[in-house]
Amino acid sequence: MESKPTYKFTAKDFYSLLERQNYRCALSGRELTPENTDAEHILPLDSGGSHTPQNIYLIVRDAARLKRHLTEAQVIDLCFDILKTRGPAFGITVTKVS
């Protein structure tokens, strides 16, 4: 019985995706560098997502860690950036009050 080929995310894939995303986090719009970036599944595998190139995007590493390594103020700042970038697609707009 032949097994289905398994997709392997390579450095070439990483840099191609980084360029395609214009060096911006898919969630927050923050600048991405090889040092601050993680590849994540758009639809998680445990939610039915597949491990394919079409289901992978790059996000700022802080988004993957959130509260584990960030203060509440840092989490709020990151969430604001995410809402500013992706919120309009969900009918959400945000304004920072000084």
Side-chain angles (χ1 to χ4, degrees):
M1 193 189 310
E2 285 187 42
S3 64
K4 194 175 183 181
T6 304
Y7 171 67
K8 302 238 188 262
F9 188 77
T10 65
K12 182 178 177 182
D13 295 327
F14 175 87
Y15 285 101
S16 174
L17 194 50
L18 191 62
E19 196 167 302
R20 199 169 343 140
Q21 288 184 208
N22 296 313
Y23 292 80
R24 293 286 168 195
C25 173
L27 291 177
S28 69
R30 290 181 172 188
E31 183 178 7
L32 295 176
T33 67
E35 295 78 27
N36 76 351
T37 303
D38 280 343
E40 291 291 333
H41 292 100
I42 298 166
L43 180 62
L45 299 177
D46 61 0
S47 295
S50 58
H51 185 60
T52 60
Q54 300 78 16
N55 191 42
I56 295 175
Y57 62 11
L58 301 178
I59 63 172
V60 68
R61 188 162 289 137
D62 289 345
R65 301 187 291 200
L66 281 180
K67 189 59 183 119
R68 184 174 56 184
H69 297 289
L70 300 176
T71 66
E72 286 186 14
Q74 290 168 320
V75 170
I76 296 298
D77 189 47
L78 176 60
C79 290
F80 178 80
D81 287 346
I82 291 169
L83 288 171
K84 200 171 50 172
T85 301
R86 295 292 301 146
F90 296 92
I92 300 167
T93 57
V94 293
T95 304
K96 209 175 248 189
V97 180
S98 13

